Amino acid sequence: MRDALAKSLADNGMQPAQIQVIGAAVQIQLKNVSFPNWTVWLDDARKQFKVQVSEAHITAGKPDGQVDLTASLQPASAK
């Protein structure tokens, strides 16, 4: 899943500062990324890769709309 998420981010113009596997989760760190672009990518990744956010830390940057973030994605729970 790590490589698929990394490729998807790159295909959408977001180069991760770091991406690593921690247990069942994939942790992604991005610097100075567009928050609207991130949310669109995240919604697509949620549907395509069947993942959910287990933890996220987002810090607003300058200019407006740019953020630094760390997010952990894990396989979505079956309902």
Side-chain angles (χ1 to χ4, degrees):
M1 182 181 350
R2 177 196 180 280
D3 293 339
L5 291 172
K7 181 179 182 329
S8 178
L9 283 165
D11 289 350
N12 285 277
M14 292 179 276
Q15 294 297 326
Q18 185 175 349
I19 185 166
Q20 61 186 347
V21 176
I22 302 174
V26 175
Q27 185 182 70
I28 299 168
Q29 291 182 6
L30 296 167
K31 302 281 186 197
N32 196 35
V33 66
S34 162
F35 186 71
N37 289 353
W38 160 255
T39 58
V40 168
W41 175 85
L42 184 59
D43 189 48
D44 288 344
R46 184 182 61 81
K47 294 171 186 169
Q48 181 178 358
F49 301 111
K50 307 292 188 236
V51 294
Q52 63 187 12
V53 175
S54 58
E55 186 175 357
H57 300 279
I58 302 170
T59 305
K62 295 288 181 192
D64 287 345
Q66 297 297 111
V67 297
D68 292 342
L69 65 87
T70 301
S72 295
L73 305 179
Q74 65 185 30
S77 305
K79 295 194 181 199

